[in-house]
Amino acid sequence: LSTCAAPPPAPAVSFALGLTRSGRSGDPEPVCTGRQHKPTMHMGLHHLHNHATMRIGTSFVRRRCALATARGRARLEEEALAALNGVLDPALARCKRLAVQPDATVAVKLEFRSGAMRRGAVEAAAAAAIEALPWARRSSVESTLSRPRSFMGSNAPPSLRHVGALVGISSCKGGVGKSTVAVNLAYALATQGGRVGLLDADVHGPSLPSLVRLPPGSLPLRQDAQTRLLAPAEADGVRLMSYGFVGKGASSGAVPAAVMRGPMVGKTVGQMLSGTDWGELDYLLVDLPPGTGDVHLTLSQTYGLSAAVLVTTPQRLSTVDVLKGVDMLRELGVPMISLVENMAHFTDDTGRTHLPFGGSQLEAVRRHAGLRESDTFRLPIEPQVVAESWRRDHAQHGEGVP
């Protein structure tokens, strides 16, 4: 068993205090010296057991000795980093800093690439991996968020330099609840800690002003005098932009119809996207209009959609248009990552399930889009959501609310 030159019987305490040959604290050569006995044929079982125990103790003591020097702690930091990398997904988080203290405390700082994840669970897994090391007394784990790199790379305009992903919510069919899915997805990501923005790209029929209630004084939007960028509206942590916020009459809530041709619509959407100061976002969701027109081409070819979420309903008429949308996204090289069948069914007060739009068409669309079953979702009609929407509409128009 290795021993220290400090007076027995408490060598481990000496290691923790970082004593050297001179008996003073510091980082010179450690005081661990001595030799260990090798087993021989003359040893009995009791002696072999003691020898094995001594070898385990030797390894533990050597690690404790390493805490006394900067070089030794560096070796332990490599060991701790290897244990940490075993539980971290490099696509989600990385170890930004790790330091082993002389008292065997391991301080870790993690950097997450996105806020929309269970940071607490990852931090707990990292702490458990560190504290499982035999020499570590405790861990201290903290985390931060990295500044997103633009989905456009070095070609990004100033407004999009720190937007990580541009995700389109697409259906190519009107009336399927695509805007409702987009809004709820945005707020679900924000609830998980994500930095989220939402662009309403339907210039002819903007839905965002009706779906989200802005705080008082949000309109008119303000423009920075130097950058000439518009500050987006914000509600409950999600940054919002819509033609309904910038068109004539937006402040009074009465935006007239946008009477313009397709190329002008595409240009208007491009101005809202690149002319808004989005700041740092993990995800910028785009509520795409129906069809396969100029807006889709502008966003896919000029900016480059990172991915698309498909929305459909069980109706055959909806399925026909959504399949065309799948073909368009495939031709434009936009990855499709998820499929939502909205308004699939509802359950009455007796517990009976009803299919108001017929049987599901989800499987046909899934196969055509090349998605896995785990990437598909069927959303029911929720009576509570319908009732709340109806109440709000009546309240906005000054009508009595039952």
Side-chain angles (χ1 to χ4, degrees):
L1 177 66
S2 296
T3 59
C4 290
V13 175
S14 300
F15 303 148
L17 295 176
L19 297 181
T20 62
R21 294 185 188 278
S22 61
R24 295 187 300 270
S25 61
D27 272 355
E29 183 181 354
V31 297
C32 297
T33 59
R35 64 181 180 222
Q36 63 183 47
H37 299 283
K38 297 182 179 180
T40 65
M41 295 295 294
H42 302 288
M43 286 187 176
L45 291 177
H46 177 71
H47 291 88
L48 287 175
H49 172 75
N50 288 341
H51 178 74
T53 304
M54 292 167 62
R55 288 183 61 87
I56 296 174
T58 300
S59 177
F60 175 79
V61 169
R62 284 176 177 171
R63 287 188 174 94
R64 284 293 186 183
C65 286
L67 292 168
T69 69
R71 181 178 298 179
R73 291 194 296 272
R75 290 195 300 268
L76 296 180
E77 286 172 0
E78 293 178 359
E79 184 178 340
L81 185 60
L84 198 60
N85 289 335
V87 298
L88 290 181
D89 183 347
L92 303 178
R94 71 181 183 94
C95 179
K96 188 175 183 179
R97 186 173 65 247
L98 186 149
V100 175
Q101 307 298 333
D103 65 349
T105 297
V106 183
V108 177
K109 187 170 186 178
L110 303 178
E111 185 177 69
F112 288 87
R113 304 187 187 280
S114 167
M117 61 182 63
R118 298 175 179 174
R119 293 171 61 179
V122 177
E123 292 174 357
I130 293 298
E131 293 171 5
L133 298 171
W135 50 267
R137 288 189 175 180
R138 57 183 173 270
S139 65
S140 172
V141 181
E142 60 180 24
S143 65
T144 185
L145 290 176
S146 65
R147 170 175 278 189
R149 296 181 180 179
S150 176
F151 65 95
M152 295 183 66
S154 59
N155 297 323
S159 60
L160 300 173
R161 284 178 182 167
H162 301 296
V163 176
L166 186 69
V167 181
I169 314 300
S170 172
S171 70
C172 294
K173 178 66 177 175
V176 299
K178 171 180 50 58
S179 297
T180 305
V181 171
V183 169
N184 281 279
L185 178 59
Y187 280 96
L189 290 169
T191 300
Q192 294 184 8
R195 297 164 289 185
V196 186
L198 177 58
L199 171 63
D200 181 0
D202 193 345
V203 174
H204 288 303
S207 302
L208 204 50
S210 301
L211 291 172
V212 179
R213 185 178 299 173
L214 298 180
S218 297
L219 300 178
L221 300 181
R222 295 165 179 80
Q223 186 179 46
D224 187 274
Q226 294 182 342
T227 64
R228 310 298 294 174
L229 297 176
L230 284 174
E234 186 168 334
D236 298 319
V238 177
R239 296 166 191 170
L240 309 166
M241 176 55 70
S242 170
Y243 184 74
F245 297 155
V246 296
K248 293 181 180 180
S251 298
S252 61
V255 178
V259 183
M260 58 181 75
R261 296 184 185 273
M264 182 59 69
V265 173
K267 183 178 180 181
T268 301
V269 172
Q271 288 176 340
M272 289 194 297
L273 178 60
S274 61
T276 300
D277 186 7
W278 294 106
E280 296 183 4
L281 295 180
D282 298 313
Y283 312 102
L284 176 53
L285 307 186
V286 183
D287 181 10
L288 294 169
T292 57
D294 291 87
V295 173
H296 304 78
L297 293 174
T298 297
L299 294 177
S300 300
Q301 296 177 341
T302 304
Y303 297 94
L305 286 171
S306 306
V309 175
L310 304 173
V311 182
T312 185
T313 61
Q315 299 154 301
R316 285 177 172 245
L317 191 59
S318 172
T319 302
V320 170
D321 285 346
V322 172
L323 292 179
K324 294 177 182 177
V326 170
D327 294 336
M328 175 198 67
L329 293 170
R330 183 175 288 124
E331 184 176 342
L332 294 173
V334 179
M336 291 164 278
I337 59 175
S338 185
L339 170 63
V340 176
E341 186 175 69
N342 197 27
M343 298 181 281
H345 56 83
F346 75 90
T347 304
D348 62 23
D349 294 337
T350 66
R352 183 180 177 186
T353 300
H354 302 268
L355 306 175
F357 300 117
S360 175
Q361 303 289 322
L362 189 68
E363 183 61 21
V365 181
R366 182 192 71 80
R367 288 199 303 266
H368 192 70
L371 293 169
R372 300 170 299 181
E373 290 186 10
S374 59
D375 298 326
T376 61
F377 305 89
R378 300 186 73 217
L379 300 183
I381 298 174
E382 293 287 356
Q384 297 89 342
V385 175
V386 177
E388 177 61 24
S389 177
W390 185 80
R391 288 172 181 268
R392 287 182 57 181
D393 288 344
H394 279 66
Q396 278 185 334
H397 292 87
E399 303 174 8
V401 181

